[in-house]
Amino acid sequence: MITTILLILVGLVLAPLAGGLLAGIDRRLTAWFQSRQGPPIMQAFYDVAKLFGKQPMASNPWLVLCAWVYLVAAALSCVLFFLQGDLLLIFFVQAIGAVFLVMGAMSVPSPYSQVGAQRELIQVLTYEPLLILVFVSLYLATGSFQVSDILAHETPLLLQLPLMFIVLGYALTIKLRKSPFDFSTSHHGHQELVKGVLTEYSGPYLGIIEIAHWYETVLVLGVCALFWSTNVLMMTLLLAVTYMAEIIIDNTMARMTWRWMLKYVWCIGLGLSVVNLIWLYAKI
Amino acid sequence: MIKSFIKKSRVKSPWIMHFDCGSCNGCDIEVLACLTPMYDVERFGIVNVGNPKHADILLVTGTVNHRNKKVLKNLYDQMPEPKAVIAIGACGTSGGVFREAYNVVGGVDKVIPVDVYVPGCPAKPEAIIDGVVLGLQKFAEKVEAAEQGA
Amino acid sequence: MSTQIILLVLLPFAAGLACYLLRAAFLRSLVVLATAAILTAASVALLSAGPISYSPGPFLGLGWGLIVSVLDFALLGVILFYGFKHGNLLIKIFSVLQMLGLLILELFWVDHSAQVPAFHVDQLSAVMVLIISIVGSLICVFALPYMKEHEEHLHLEASRQPRFFLFLVLFLGAMNGLVMANNILWLYFFFESTTLCSFMLIGHDGTEIAVKNAVRALWMNSAGGLAFVLGMMFTYASVGSLDIQVILASGGAGAGLLVGMGLICLAGFTKAAQVPFQSWLLGAMVAPTPVSALLHSSTMVKAGVYVVLRMAPAYAGSFVSDGVALCGAFTFLACAALAIGQSNGKKILAYSTISNLGLIIACAGINTPAATAAAIFLIIFHAVSKALLFLCVGTIEQRIGSRDIEDMRGLYLRMPQTAWITITGILTMLLPPFGVLMAKWLAIESASGQLVVVTMMALASALTVVYWARWAGTLLAAPGGGRPAPEGLPALIRVPLLALVAGAVLLSVAAPQVYDAVVAPMLPAMPSPIEAFYLYPLFAVLGAGLLLALRAARRSRATAYSAPYMSGANIDMNPDGTWNGPMNQPVGAVAGNYYLPGLFGEERLTTFVNVAAAALIVLMIGGAL
């Protein structure tokens, strides 16, 4: 019981803090790559705190509703992950947030917001099948969709599922809104002409969405961590290397078009998944 | 405690929006130069956003004319409080050499209230950064005044 | 219990005739409402009965078996007549071949002295009856005011409603008979009755396009009927019984049975409009909305999946089973992709129906207890949500004169009540913790052993999100600031809508009870998959979150208003995004969705999809030989 409450608290409180810190580190490293000094590590928290101090403005009550639902869904999916629930369920709960984010953006007739919403949908379309296949591969390797059972697996899954990890990397890049897949909105402020799907969310509502994004970052990285869950050191190393690779990709790639992304990611992602899944079937 | 953290954060995270009201691009280039590794304003948490709804500080370059004064006003109105406006360059502060032209309204302050004037033709990046820092102080003062008033 | 069974089958037939004969609108409404109430009560009573078999006694000295056989030929005769009337060669060929097959079966093969219970009601049948009777009845009630307005739009001289309600109500009886039939010949009779009813209803408006689409529906379903007859012949040849219970128990009886099952599944595919037979259901949209709602949600297409699911034990573990799973999953994927390319609301619904049926059929093909549970769940939840959505589109169409979702942009301001009901309906199709998604989750989990099937499901599931979310967002895309005007729906339209939306939500809340009451008795003992749903905590947290969000949204009405961002070119604070264009002239902002015709357009995909699906079906049946 106490463990459960602790886990809920970890998911609810520590996860967004970690996500925010990670966002700060990300910006710092990016600045370093660009031979700049970059903002303080705590910058993401300053940003959000400032946003909460702004005057609430909205062109539509739906925006407010959708921002809140996005946050609730993201937090819930993160908590479910720390409670070691069913991966597919976690993913579907997270999808609630994605759908509401899009609905909110679509509720305002600004063309930037509209186009952003459509592009966000295409991003969802691109990463969703990949994530489901990653979960299926975890199931095939461990015999369960439950995070608790996957954690109980004795050998590092990365060795069995190397290609699936790459597939997950694609989904991670899209989910983190990093180049070359950052066309619904970029996580870098200065990289955007307007702000895509987030255009109409402002002040505290943008803050809410930012926090929800931290939850989602932690969630996806958590899924990455499952690939080497046997050893904490290796898990940390894997996450560090993965995130570093994300930042390098982000800094060396240009933003591409959604057509390219849909075709490229589906072809590569599905191809890698099928090959890796066939290995697993062959073993069973 | 949360309140004081928010107050501190305001100063640490000014998101600027840059609007070119009809500048010769001299000042614009200097504004963008602030973002380069040379000056790296992101050190101060400054981010150049493209959307008034996310901005705290509006940087305006160039003279205001009859065509774009509405745009300037709209952008200003779409920024949530607290906010500050910084007029940059000779044109932004007063209309500059175009002041007397038939199509020119004048400086930015003819349309919206300006908090900081950064002179120069073009304004130097250091001066612009200085202006932003001053703008932050101004809106901290404004917030305080509003809180005491309330 | 026998009374209920007779009532459920015969009452709609009688009521349909009454609707046809009693010309007064008031009496017709009374008959429909009374039938709806009685059917609902009878179907609920049937649920608690447990498995029972029943054969009606002789009628006017004639055995029912004989009557059904005669009616079979009469039906085929009527279909043949329409084949001649519309000069359609395919219908003629298919119905003549069916008659021949049936003749051989009836006269030379079947041992008529064998006792075969006519009806057998188990949980699956009871669930189907429940859906047909409740959802179908609600649709019939909705049709009363709808058809009145529909005929006013058309300026008809003589009302054609009596004929319409004859077939609409009769349809429910035929469906009830179909799902309860135990004698496979009876099943075939009801199967063909639904074919004829749907033909009549699709062609009801009598326009050129309506007749054309009705004829297409007829020939495709006749092809299905032929497959059914052939399937019966193969099955009878190898099992030697017409009793479905016996056939199911004889699983693994060899190639003959498998071919028979493959053919019967093929018949189910045509009825469920699986690719490549999807075009008849898409064509059925020309009919008045209650017809599409009835065809898509609770009746016609569910007859198809019912047949496939009913026969599932007979082909479990065989190549046919894998083939069925493949065909279903492929339909799920193909139709979800096709739905993305559509902006016509009814067409999106049609593709989504076919796609969901594909998922159900895939579950039947996977043939594990969990998959069967998922299939039954999907049947239940999909029926309610989809009926709701069809009625919503019908209501919207009558008000705004269009079924294009681009014309529904910002519907929230014009029809707030219908808009939120529609959005809720969409969310119940799409998101957890609602039943459809829970069933989809169960389906994916049980499909994870089959690489191709699960890959297709993953892709289809993502495609589904896109077309639903886009639609829901479009309904909301209203200029802010304004208060929506109250819309004043007629009670007979509002009540079915509210009943269905409440049903869709409450059924999902009660999913564990539904599972225990309905699904569990059908399956060998296994741990309830619902346990893993964390259903109540999920509902509690998400419900609380929604309330919190609603409260915040309500409060935000008091907060400052900010015009949509139009690069500052917006005129004053205009909420609809009108901006200051060239020469200082106002220009309206126009938004549109991505429909990606280059990737998901009908013209682009249909041919490929049909060829691939046909190949899969050949694979499925050929593999059994």
Side-chain angles (χ1 to χ4, degrees):
Chain A
M1 188 62 202
I2 291 172
T3 350
T4 316
I5 293 172
L6 274 179
L7 284 174
I8 291 178
L9 278 180
V10 167
L12 210 55
V13 183
L14 288 188
L17 291 180
L21 209 57
L22 208 56
I25 294 171
D26 184 339
R27 280 172 74 172
R28 194 58 177 252
L29 285 174
T30 302
W32 179 52
F33 286 143
Q34 298 168 354
S35 28
R36 295 187 286 120
Q37 188 188 340
I41 300 281
M42 294 277 284
Q43 187 59 41
F45 298 108
Y46 298 139
D47 287 348
V48 167
K50 174 207 69 180
L51 285 170
F52 277 102
K54 300 275 289 183
Q55 173 199 23
M57 273 178 121
S59 39
N60 204 323
W62 294 110
L63 277 176
V64 182
L65 178 89
C66 293
W68 276 102
V69 174
Y70 181 36
L71 176 65
V72 170
L76 181 60
S77 60
C78 201
V79 168
L80 283 175
F81 185 82
F82 280 95
L83 286 176
Q84 310 184 354
D86 185 294
L87 276 175
L88 277 175
L89 178 73
I90 292 167
F91 171 69
F92 286 131
V93 169
Q94 174 272 332
I96 301 179
V99 167
F100 271 82
L101 180 69
V102 169
M103 277 168 60
M106 281 184 78
S107 73
V108 185
S110 162
Y112 300 97
S113 172
Q114 293 281 335
V115 170
Q118 305 287 333
R119 290 180 169 190
E120 176 73 14
L121 274 180
I122 291 170
Q123 292 198 347
V124 172
L125 177 60
T126 314
Y127 71 71
E128 199 176 309
L130 300 189
L131 279 178
I132 293 181
L133 287 177
V134 167
F135 298 155
V136 168
S137 74
L138 288 172
Y139 168 81
L140 288 174
T142 64
S144 171
F145 281 102
Q146 294 281 335
V147 175
S148 48
D149 298 339
I150 295 170
L151 286 177
H153 197 67
E154 276 155 10
T155 51
L157 286 162
L158 185 64
L159 305 179
Q160 256 175 304
L161 306 167
L163 300 181
M164 290 321 281
F165 194 73
I166 301 175
V167 173
L168 182 60
Y170 279 102
L172 181 67
T173 317
I174 299 172
K175 207 64 206 160
L176 290 177
R177 307 193 181 290
K178 289 196 174 292
S179 291
F181 306 133
D182 53 352
F183 50 70
S184 88
T185 183
S186 170
H187 74 119
H188 288 304
H190 48 260
Q191 200 158 317
E192 275 286 3
L193 280 183
V194 181
K195 198 65 185 167
V197 69
L198 302 182
T199 300
E200 290 294 331
Y201 296 96
S202 74
Y205 312 123
L206 186 66
I208 289 172
I209 286 183
E210 201 57 38
I211 295 176
H213 185 63
W214 296 344
Y215 277 113
E216 290 198 335
T217 308
V218 172
L219 176 64
V220 187
L221 285 175
V223 177
C224 290
L226 293 181
F227 279 78
W228 207 304
S229 56
T230 47
N231 181 330
V232 180
L233 195 66
M234 284 304 290
M235 187 200 278
T236 323
L237 190 66
L238 180 68
L239 285 184
V241 170
T242 312
Y243 206 85
M244 196 61 166
E246 288 294 336
I247 298 176
I248 292 174
I249 290 169
D250 190 26
N251 278 290
T252 50
M253 298 273 178
R255 174 187 286 192
M256 298 299 283
T257 64
W258 61 261
R259 278 183 197 82
W260 176 83
M261 175 181 81
L262 193 60
K263 286 178 186 161
Y264 171 79
V265 176
W266 270 22
C267 288
I268 303 275
L270 291 182
L272 291 177
S273 307
V274 167
V275 171
N276 206 150
L277 289 176
I278 288 175
W279 293 352
L280 287 178
Y281 281 108
K283 270 184 208 157
I284 288 170
Chain B
M1 193 189 84
I2 293 174
K3 238 183 188 162
S4 69
F5 185 63
I6 289 180
K7 210 158 113 192
K8 186 175 149 204
S9 302
R10 274 203 188 105
V11 185
K12 288 203 170 255
S13 156
W15 289 1
I16 58 168
M17 151 127 175
H18 161 219
F19 180 53
D20 172 3
C21 235
S23 146
C24 66
N25 282 169
C27 292
D28 302 325
I29 288 168
E30 299 303 326
V31 168
L32 293 178
C34 298
L35 303 172
T36 57
M38 176 79 178
Y39 297 99
D40 187 25
V41 288
E42 212 193 350
R43 278 179 297 165
F44 311 118
I46 297 179
V47 176
N48 183 23
V49 296
N51 179 356
K53 300 193 169 197
H54 298 171
D56 305 296
I57 294 179
L58 180 61
L59 298 184
V60 191
T61 58
T63 51
V64 182
N65 59 39
H66 287 286
R67 174 77 186 168
N68 66 23
K69 67 180 182 196
K70 290 178 204 155
V71 178
L72 180 59
K73 180 81 172 73
N74 276 335
L75 292 180
Y76 179 76
D77 287 342
Q78 284 181 336
M79 287 171 60
E81 294 282 353
K83 58 191 170 187
V85 178
I86 302 176
I88 290 176
C91 303
T93 50
S94 64
V97 292
F98 306 104
R99 191 183 172 85
E100 301 300 333
Y102 70 96
N103 62 331
V104 166
V105 180
V108 176
D109 53 7
K110 291 271 162 53
V111 184
I112 52 174
V114 172
D115 298 274
V116 180
Y117 297 87
V118 179
C121 185
K124 292 173 81 172
E126 292 91 337
I128 295 172
I129 296 172
D130 218 25
V132 172
V133 172
L134 198 61
L136 286 174
Q137 275 171 21
K138 285 251 178 179
F139 87 45
E141 282 164 24
K142 267 202 277 189
V143 172
E144 220 139 276
E147 272 169 4
Q148 275 160 8
Chain C
M1 281 306 120
S2 52
T3 344
Q4 270 101 331
I5 295 177
I6 297 174
L7 210 57
L8 284 164
V9 180
L10 284 186
L11 178 70
F13 278 83
L17 278 177
C19 284
Y20 187 64
L21 297 174
L22 302 171
R23 295 270 150 173
F26 168 71
L27 287 175
R28 190 166 55 233
S29 305
L30 210 62
V31 169
V32 171
L33 286 172
T35 314
I38 297 173
L39 284 185
T40 308
S43 63
V44 172
L46 193 68
L47 186 62
S48 54
I52 41 163
S53 295
Y54 168 72
S55 287
F59 178 71
L60 301 177
L62 293 172
W64 274 101
L66 183 63
I67 298 177
V68 167
S69 302
V70 172
L71 284 176
D72 259 342
F73 285 102
L75 256 179
L76 287 172
V78 174
I79 291 173
L80 188 60
F81 163 74
Y82 279 106
F84 275 103
K85 185 178 169 194
H86 296 291
N88 188 306
L89 186 65
L90 287 171
I91 298 178
K92 289 181 223 167
I93 295 176
F94 289 143
S95 48
V96 168
L97 285 178
Q98 280 184 71
M99 282 188 191
L100 278 178
L102 212 54
L103 218 55
I104 297 171
L105 203 57
E106 292 266 10
L107 290 184
F108 303 114
W109 290 15
V110 173
D111 170 19
H112 285 282
S113 61
Q115 282 298 318
V116 179
F119 292 114
H120 180 83
V121 182
D122 60 3
Q123 283 315 110
L124 179 60
S125 308
V127 171
M128 295 296 297
V129 168
L130 208 61
I131 294 171
I132 294 159
S133 303
I134 295 180
V135 182
S137 297
L138 277 174
I139 294 171
C140 289
V141 171
F142 173 91
L144 290 169
Y146 183 95
M147 287 312 287
K148 186 163 161 279
E149 192 162 328
H150 182 72
E151 297 209 327
E152 279 167 12
H153 274 296
L154 294 179
H155 310 294
L156 291 185
E157 283 174 14
S159 170
R160 301 178 67 226
Q161 287 188 50
R163 182 172 163 278
F164 181 81
F165 280 96
L166 164 69
F167 288 110
L168 200 69
V169 179
L170 202 149
F171 211 142
L172 300 185
M175 277 300 297
N176 276 339
L178 194 156
V179 297
M180 291 190 289
N182 185 47
N183 183 329
I184 199 161
L185 276 170
W186 288 49
L187 180 61
Y188 169 73
F189 165 69
F190 290 118
F191 197 81
E192 283 299 288
S193 312
T194 60
T195 300
L196 186 68
C197 283
S198 66
F199 167 73
M200 291 300 189
L201 288 170
I202 295 170
H204 175 76
D205 280 347
T207 55
E208 197 181 327
I209 179 96
V211 172
K212 185 172 148 246
N213 290 344
V215 169
R216 184 167 53 202
L218 191 59
W219 82 249
M220 283 197 173
N221 281 300
S222 300
L226 181 60
F228 201 105
V229 171
L230 290 175
M232 279 198 296
M233 293 169 78
F234 272 103
T235 311
Y236 191 80
S238 68
V239 181
S241 172
L242 292 172
D243 190 329
I244 291 181
Q245 296 305 314
V246 175
I247 296 172
L248 296 188
S250 70
L257 176 67
L258 282 182
V259 175
M261 285 301 133
L263 286 165
I264 288 179
C265 285
L266 175 61
F269 287 179
T270 60
K271 191 119 290 202
Q274 299 293 288
V275 284
F277 304 108
Q278 78 279 31
S279 58
W280 78 258
L281 194 63
L282 296 168
M285 294 184 312
V286 297
T289 294
V291 176
S292 354
L294 204 59
L295 291 184
H296 287 254
S297 68
S298 55
T299 49
M300 188 79 165
V301 293
K302 290 281 155 69
V305 291
Y306 168 79
V307 169
V308 176
L309 196 57
R310 165 60 74 205
M311 300 299 175
Y315 56 78
S318 71
F319 188 82
V320 172
S321 195
D322 294 338
V324 169
L326 268 180
C327 289
F330 182 73
T331 301
F332 184 32
L333 173 61
C335 288
L338 283 163
I340 290 198
Q342 299 302 318
S343 72
N344 177 331
K346 266 195 173 177
K347 241 181 172 174
I348 296 178
L349 290 183
Y351 275 127
S352 132
T353 301
I354 304 171
S355 152
N356 273 294
L357 295 172
L359 181 58
I360 299 173
I361 286 180
C363 288
I366 294 166
N367 235 331
T368 61
T372 312
I376 298 164
F377 252 59
L378 268 172
I379 290 179
I380 300 173
F381 292 113
H382 175 258
V384 181
S385 295
K386 195 47 77 61
L388 170 67
L389 284 172
F390 262 104
L391 298 191
C392 287
V393 173
T395 313
I396 294 168
E397 189 184 359
Q398 280 199 333
R399 182 68 63 91
I400 68 171
S402 166
R403 49 174 77 156
D404 196 300
I405 66 171
E406 286 298 332
D407 294 323
M408 297 180 199
R409 197 160 275 281
L411 191 78
Y412 172 70
L413 278 191
R414 285 173 285 172
M415 306 175 71
Q417 203 173 20
T418 318
W420 79 253
I421 293 177
T422 313
I423 291 171
T424 315
I426 288 176
L427 295 183
T428 57
M429 287 292 295
L430 176 64
L431 293 180
F434 295 110
V436 176
L437 188 106
M438 291 309 193
K440 198 189 284 174
W441 167 31
L442 205 52
I444 294 179
E445 294 210 347
S446 46
S448 38
Q450 302 189 8
L451 176 62
V452 186
V453 173
V454 80
T455 309
M456 290 202 276
M457 279 188 185
L459 285 170
S461 162
L463 292 163
T464 311
V465 173
V466 173
Y467 65 80
W468 284 131
R470 187 175 67 191
W471 191 349
T474 308
L475 293 174
L476 283 184
R483 282 260 171 176
E487 58 178 302
L489 288 176
L492 276 184
I493 288 188
R494 198 171 63 223
V495 170
L497 285 184
L498 286 175
L500 282 172
V501 79
V505 174
L506 292 179
L507 258 184
S508 297
V509 177
Q513 283 78 7
V514 174
Y515 183 86
D516 289 340
V518 174
V519 186
M522 265 181 266
L523 301 172
M526 64 168 215
S528 161
I530 311 277
E531 301 291 314
F533 284 11
Y534 314 107
L535 199 72
Y536 290 123
L538 262 191
F539 258 106
V541 174
L542 288 172
L546 187 68
L547 282 182
L548 174 80
L550 275 173
R551 202 168 127 250
R554 184 148 302 165
R555 276 191 183 168
S556 76
R557 284 188 193 281
T559 63
Y561 169 75
S562 163
Y565 179 64
M566 304 295 292
S567 302
N570 43 309
I571 297 174
D572 301 325
M573 277 288 161
N574 216 328
D576 57 6
T578 311
W579 52 280
N580 200 358
M583 309 298 290
N584 267 336
Q585 293 302 307
V587 181
V590 184
N593 292 325
Y594 284 10
Y595 293 101
L596 317 188
L599 289 173
F600 300 114
E602 249 177 350
E603 317 71 46
R604 205 178 162 85
L605 287 185
T606 303
T607 316
F608 163 74
V609 162
N610 287 349
V611 171
L616 280 177
I617 288 177
V618 171
L619 190 75
M620 172 183 90
I621 296 176
L625 288 170

